[in-house]
Amino acid sequence: MSNTTVKLNYINQSNDANNSEIVIFQKNVVATYDEIAIAWKVIKNCGFGSNHPFDFPLALQVAASDSWGNYTPKLDAYPGDQFAMVRNTSGDVLQFNGPANSSEEVEVLNMLPRGAIDACIYRNGKLLAQKTNVAPQQMAAFKFKPSIWVGVVSQIEEGQVMDSAILSAVNTEFSLLGVASADIVLTGGGPGPDSTAFTFEMKNVKTL
């Protein structure tokens, strides 16, 4: 079980005149069609020439909420772990439930006698993905490629569900496989007819 953290550094070298926001997120590759990606990290007000360092730990955390409005503590989770929401003498609790059906997934099973749950996955303490309304005896599964999606957006907050229009406008994916640290550099943009498309590049990559 790895505790490796990838050190990333966003650098604004663009001609953006609108003080746009930068969104970074991952996609749950076992998501159902109605599951929309979450804005994991949003970088705001980072002016030209400025940079914004941030950590991307490989470790995850899992938590759940029940239909009574209760939220469990975050538990450390690794691919291949299954967790279950159960009712014990104290109430509804989330607990480790042994190996997952897939070694690449984190699974959350609703074993409550009644009431749906919301299952949430966190990275670096920030909401990364969620599955809502998981009925009793149903399971939420989370699997992420070792990559991030990066895009230029406006009016988005961390932890928010991103609509399909935002998602369709984000088409830059960077693999972090074997990466120890890297810069993510934004260029392009600008006012008027001479503006060019925003472009992200990964530079100064150091490998593990």
Side-chain angles (χ1 to χ4, degrees):
M1 294 184 181
S2 172
N3 292 319
T4 305
T5 295
V6 183
K7 297 287 187 179
L8 298 172
N9 184 36
Y10 164 72
I11 303 173
N12 182 8
Q13 295 289 351
S14 76
N15 300 310
D16 176 32
N18 298 317
N19 191 11
S20 299
E21 294 154 6
I22 309 304
V23 66
I24 298 152
F25 62 96
Q26 290 188 286
K27 297 178 180 179
N28 180 12
V29 299
V30 290
T32 52
Y33 70 93
D34 60 343
E35 201 172 322
I36 303 296
I38 301 285
W40 173 66
K41 182 168 183 62
V42 177
I43 298 172
K44 299 183 178 186
N45 302 314
C46 189
F48 176 78
S50 297
N51 69 294
H52 184 106
F54 63 99
D55 288 345
F56 184 90
L58 300 189
L60 298 163
Q61 298 87 38
V62 63
S65 59
D66 65 11
S67 58
W68 307 101
N70 304 310
Y71 293 81
T72 71
K74 297 184 184 73
L75 305 176
D76 289 339
Y78 296 89
D81 289 350
Q82 184 183 92
F83 297 82
M85 190 78 151
V86 300
R87 182 160 298 163
N88 67 14
T89 52
S90 71
D92 296 347
V93 295
L94 184 69
Q95 63 186 29
F96 181 71
N97 199 45
N101 295 311
S102 166
S103 62
E104 297 180 332
E105 295 177 5
V106 174
E107 298 171 349
V108 182
L109 184 63
N110 183 356
M111 295 179 66
L112 296 178
R114 63 187 178 94
I117 65 170
D118 293 348
C120 301
I121 292 283
Y122 298 83
R123 191 184 298 282
N124 209 24
K126 299 174 186 288
L127 184 62
L128 180 69
Q130 65 180 356
K131 178 68 176 173
T132 57
N133 295 315
V134 182
Q137 308 311 312
Q138 300 267 299
M139 185 179 71
F142 300 93
K143 176 183 174 182
F144 304 97
K145 293 198 303 183
S147 64
I148 54 172
W149 293 84
V150 186
V152 178
V153 296
S154 59
Q155 298 179 324
I156 188 80
E157 300 292 331
E158 287 182 359
Q160 275 188 353
V161 172
M162 295 184 290
D163 63 36
S164 54
I166 291 175
L167 286 175
S168 63
V170 177
N171 52 24
T172 302
E173 183 181 14
F174 291 121
S175 173
L176 300 179
L177 192 63
V179 173
S181 64
D183 293 334
I184 297 173
V185 182
L186 175 65
T187 56
D194 296 329
S195 68
T196 57
F198 287 115
T199 303
F200 290 95
E201 288 183 87
M202 189 177 272
K203 297 184 174 180
N204 301 318
V205 177
K206 294 180 180 176
T207 55
L208 294 172

